[in-house]
Amino acid sequence: MNYRIGQIVPSSNVTMETEIPAIFRSRETILPDRFTFHSSRMRMKKVTKEELEAMDAMSLKCAQELSDAHVDVMGYACLVAIMSMGRGYHCVSEVNLHQETIANGYPTPIVTSAGALVKGLKTLGAKRVALITPYMRPLTDMVVDYITNEGFEVTGSIALEIPDNLEVAAQNPMNLLEIYKRLDLTNVDVLVVSACVQMPSLEAIDLIEKEIGIPVTSAAVCTAYEMMKRLGIEPKATIGGSLLSGNY
């Protein structure tokens, strides 16, 4: 089967259009399905609550545009924009975006990276999690609160405090091999090495997972997993840690 993957992307985000295709391309090496990738953008340069709220308001127009292309699944590719709108907002956003596709005559499954991270952690059986974000500390605390509200205990978090979104994208994912060591992983079930879909982490996930012996994931990996589930295809790839191993 051929599938069209749609993404609603912050205008300054370049990572989701890199990591999501990389995951699906790795799947193509072991399974017959094929994928094309299509994006619509919402303006955002600085990762502040004000810019995130203004950007979120543009997401409905993006959903209409992607619906015109008859994509088979649609991903909202910004975690903190959803979480900054209040606890549980991913449920509201998913309904609102789906309604736009219905109104446009092409009902499309919707995945938000915020909702996907929550579902991915539940799929992995996590109760205690630790996470790394590129955000300023107040936004990181908001992410911790959001995840805690979903029933997880966040035992530790690192805020790299990078406000410029393009600078976030320029981070070397291999730096995470050292950064994660600042966290106490005692009794932690899952490590989230990037609770942000703009901060690259894909190349580091399998390496860190091998080092620490517990599942390692990211918001992008969880988004890809959830997209595959919503397409009704086996959620499996050759990269991306335990979640995409085919065991879940």
Side-chain angles (χ1 to χ4, degrees):
M1 282 280 288
N2 294 321
Y3 296 98
R4 292 176 189 157
I5 309 295
Q7 293 197 82
I8 299 170
V9 185
S11 56
S12 53
N13 185 305
V14 292
T15 305
M16 280 298 262
E17 290 154 310
T18 308
E19 291 198 343
I20 294 291
I23 291 167
F24 278 90
R25 292 286 179 241
S26 82
R27 189 186 186 278
E28 289 180 342
T29 66
I30 52 171
L31 291 162
D33 303 309
R34 294 294 176 261
F35 308 93
T36 58
F37 304 91
H38 314 276
S39 301
S40 180
R41 306 188 99 70
M42 352 173 237
R43 292 295 307 281
M44 189 268 279
K45 292 183 181 179
K46 300 282 185 213
V47 192
T48 62
K49 195 171 191 306
E50 295 71 30
E51 280 209 35
L52 291 168
E53 285 181 8
M55 180 190 76
D56 184 65
M58 302 178 214
S59 64
L60 300 179
K61 176 176 175 286
C62 293
Q64 293 170 351
E65 293 171 359
L66 288 170
S67 177
D68 288 345
H70 287 196
V71 297
D72 297 299
V73 68
M74 207 177 288
Y76 186 120
C78 186
L79 177 131
V80 75
I82 295 286
M83 293 191 177
S84 70
M85 298 292 283
R87 293 173 168 182
Y89 184 72
H90 66 275
C91 300
V92 176
S93 176
E94 286 165 16
V95 169
N96 291 344
L97 294 169
H98 186 58
Q99 288 299 326
E100 290 296 325
T101 70
I102 293 170
N104 201 41
Y106 199 80
T108 309
I110 305 294
V111 174
T112 62
S113 51
L117 179 61
V118 168
K119 289 172 187 166
L121 291 173
K122 287 178 178 170
T123 299
L124 289 166
K127 291 182 173 60
R128 290 162 59 87
V129 302
L131 54 90
I132 301 168
T133 86
Y135 312 129
M136 304 307 284
R137 178 43 72 179
L139 279 181
T140 300
D141 290 343
M142 201 161 50
V143 170
V144 169
D145 176 74
Y146 195 100
I147 292 171
T148 302
N149 185 62
E150 294 292 332
F152 304 99
E153 180 186 347
V154 180
T155 63
S157 63
I158 291 172
L160 297 177
E161 305 218 68
I162 308 166
D164 184 272
N165 208 34
L166 279 175
E167 193 184 331
V168 170
Q171 299 306 298
N172 181 349
M174 302 311 279
N175 291 345
L176 290 165
L177 287 157
E178 290 304 317
I179 292 169
Y180 89 83
K181 292 172 182 171
R182 286 152 46 187
L183 289 162
D184 180 359
L185 298 178
T186 309
N187 298 323
V188 166
D189 302 313
V190 177
L191 170 61
V192 182
V193 287
S194 182
C196 167
V197 293
Q198 171 74 329
M199 185 169 79
S201 65
L202 187 58
E203 292 167 41
I205 287 173
D206 292 291
L207 296 171
I208 296 173
E209 191 168 282
K210 192 176 286 186
E211 276 187 16
I212 64 177
I214 62 170
V216 175
T217 195
S218 72
V221 165
C222 291
T223 301
Y225 176 87
E226 194 62 25
M227 283 177 162
M228 292 177 198
K229 294 273 285 186
R230 299 305 297 275
L231 289 171
I233 61 176
E234 188 180 355
K236 186 176 182 180
T238 62
I239 55 177
S242 290
L243 189 61
L244 291 171
S245 64
N247 296 331
Y248 295 95

